[in-house]
Amino acid sequence: MIEQNETARPGDGLDWSAVLDSLPFNADGLLPAIAQQHDSNEVLMLAWMNREALEETLQTGRVCYYSRSRGTLWRKGESSGQVQYLRELRLDCDGDTLLLRVDQQGPACHTGRRTCFYNVVQGDRLVVSEPPQVDPQAL
């Protein structure tokens, strides 16, 4: 369904409930969701959302993911206090990846770093690019 927007003009749109019904959730009922800081464009993390997490996020404005390891909804920051507030939700051209433009409160990563993408390949080494902002034990 989302392919209909490929030739649409800015301002044209589709009914969200119909688009939601047509999203290609994988066999586990999930879509990948990239979290990006809305004002700096910094990529913070990748997580997964099921339909319930997506609907809750849009309803409350507070980002909710699906935790594959726990098998349940995961409201970002519910235990750490490092909350994400949704500023804008985008879908890629295929509708198979979500981009959440968020306002991240504190570090996004469980290691206490601002972003989960702190490992940088430099030649033949994987180098840590930034220190933790918060002691991971405190999270």
Side-chain angles (χ1 to χ4, degrees), residues 101-131:
R101 296 190 38 86
V102 302
D103 185 11
Q104 173 69 47
Q105 307 297 299
C109 185
H110 75 282
T111 66
R113 291 175 174 86
R114 175 73 179 159
T115 173
C116 293
F117 297 96
Y118 60 87
N119 289 298
V120 180
V121 175
Q122 293 181 351
D124 63 351
R125 298 186 68 221
L126 185 64
V127 178
V128 174
S129 65
E130 63 185 78

Side-chain angles (χ1 to χ4, degrees), residues 60-112:
T60 66
R62 184 172 169 185
V63 179
C64 177
Y65 297 107
Y66 182 82
S67 171
R68 296 179 301 164
S69 61
R70 289 176 264 181
T72 188
L73 293 180
W74 161 46
R75 290 155 189 92
K76 181 70 173 147
E78 65 189 341
S79 60
S80 69
Q82 312 303 316
V83 178
Q84 287 178 353
Y85 295 103
L86 184 68
R87 291 294 187 99
E88 181 180 65
L89 177 73
R90 294 180 176 221
L91 280 75
D92 75 341
C93 58
D94 300 320
D96 63 0
T97 304
L98 305 168
L99 175 64
L100 287 73
R101 296 190 38 86
V102 302
D103 185 11
Q104 173 69 47
Q105 307 297 299
C109 185
H110 75 282
T111 66

